[in-house]
Amino acid sequence: MNIENYNAIIAEMQVLLDGQKFVKDGDLFKNEKKAVKVFYDEEKTTYNMAIADVSDGAVGEFKTVNSWLFGADQGVKDAMSVGVDFADTLRSSLGVKKNTRNASGDITLPTTERGDGITQTTLTQKLLAIYPQYKETYKAEVAKYGKFLYLDFYTRYFVPEIKALLENAIANRKQLKKVFDMFEEIYVEGDSLATDTVVMLISAAIYGNEKATEAAIAQMGEDKHLITSVKEMLAQIKSNKKLAAALIK
């Protein structure tokens, strides 16, 4: 299973999962009543979503409720479509109405509660705190699309901001430290999606830019694991045209 595609699927489901108090437990997500898991069937080349009942913390038998054919030639954008459909199926199963509002006035900013863990929602919340000029943009886009298209939003708004900081690292040293301290926290303590998103953000901001790359490595300092992850992602962007198209604007 390609972890980038899996994470892209989960990202499209994350707002719904967070809103319904699902927490990650191994390879599944569960709340007090339901458990959900997404998995790839190598033999059938399908991504599948299965749901089970939860009673007194015990997970019952899973039943597959949605499947998508997904070949080796498909990438992140295709996985995002799978995630959107899986989210709709899960929403229907839970009896949750989809937000169809066109006005942004009633859209709230992303929030997390104590005990939720550090997720991609946490990352969005922290980035909007650092770049509050995009709060209304966030609301408008969620109202427009009925969900948060995190990858598109990050690459259009946050990546250019991070790149600009790195290109003038000396003048922006205080802001850079704030941003990269936050990245470090998410990378170390976040779930797999949040961790991978941090790596993608940094990689997209420095790709093909030697000056920004040097500044980013200096900011990451002694965190060799993060530096290694970023270097591996840069290599993947270079070799994977679909990934490059999704991340580099």
Side-chain angles (χ1 to χ4, degrees):
M1 180 177 69
N2 184 303
I3 192 63
E4 292 168 8
N5 293 335
Y6 172 83
N7 284 341
I9 293 172
I10 298 301
E12 295 302 320
M13 302 171 64
Q14 193 73 60
V15 171
L16 177 61
L17 291 170
D18 289 346
Q20 297 302 308
K21 305 301 180 186
F22 281 89
V23 296
K24 188 170 175 56
D25 184 4
D27 64 346
L28 55 86
F29 298 83
K30 70 176 184 178
N31 62 15
E32 293 182 352
K33 296 182 179 180
K34 296 287 183 180
V36 182
K37 66 178 178 180
V38 172
F39 61 97
Y40 188 72
D41 188 317
E42 299 282 353
E43 184 177 344
K44 296 180 179 179
T45 64
T46 57
Y47 269 108
N48 308 278
M49 183 178 71
I51 299 176
D53 291 326
V54 174
S55 179
D56 295 326
V59 179
E61 183 178 355
F62 277 97
K63 178 181 179 181
T64 298
V65 294
N66 198 346
S67 298
W68 271 60
L69 282 171
F70 203 95
D73 60 332
Q74 293 179 274
V76 171
K77 286 190 176 181
D78 301 305
M80 291 169 69
S81 297
V82 176
V84 170
D85 193 49
F86 281 5
D88 285 342
T89 299
L90 178 59
R91 187 179 293 109
S92 176
S93 177
L94 298 173
V96 177
K97 291 184 178 180
K98 186 174 183 178
N99 175 20
T100 57
R101 292 168 294 185
N102 293 319
S104 63
D106 294 332
I107 301 296
T108 58
L109 294 171
T111 59
T112 55
E113 297 181 5
R114 187 172 298 177
D116 287 348
I118 295 179
T119 67
Q120 185 260 337
T121 301
T122 312
L123 177 59
T124 304
Q125 181 183 15
K126 289 180 178 290
L127 283 167
L128 288 173
I130 294 172
Y131 298 108
Q133 65 268 36
Y134 297 117
K135 288 183 177 180
E136 292 305 314
T137 306
Y138 170 90
K139 291 180 180 180
E141 296 212 357
V142 172
K144 180 179 179 179
Y145 298 110
K147 57 190 177 67
F148 179 48
L149 302 174
Y150 87 103
L151 189 61
D152 180 67
F153 193 92
Y154 284 4
T155 53
R156 282 194 292 128
Y157 300 111
F158 294 141
V159 166
E161 294 286 355
I162 297 163
K163 184 176 182 179
L165 288 179
L166 290 166
E167 288 179 334
N168 197 1
I170 295 176
N172 297 319
R173 59 185 179 276
K174 289 184 178 179
Q175 183 75 343
L176 265 178
K177 186 178 187 307
K178 182 178 182 180
V179 170
F180 274 81
D181 281 353
M182 181 270 291
F183 283 160
E184 173 74 15
E185 177 192 1
I186 300 289
Y187 183 78
V188 172
E189 300 181 14
D191 63 15
S192 61
L193 175 58
T195 296
D196 288 345
T197 305
V198 164
V199 173
M200 286 191 292
L201 270 171
I202 297 173
S203 301
I206 68 176
Y207 183 74
N209 189 317
E210 185 177 347
K211 188 175 183 180
T213 300
E214 291 177 356
I217 291 175
Q219 287 296 320
M220 289 183 279
E222 297 180 359
D223 192 338
K224 303 302 182 184
H225 292 293
L226 179 54
I227 292 173
T228 299
S229 294
V230 169
K231 288 182 176 180
E232 290 174 350
M233 177 59 68
L234 289 171
Q236 290 183 48
I237 293 172
K238 186 176 181 179
S239 63
N240 188 322
K241 292 182 179 180
K242 288 186 176 182
L243 181 61
L247 296 180
I248 310 301
K249 303 300 183 185

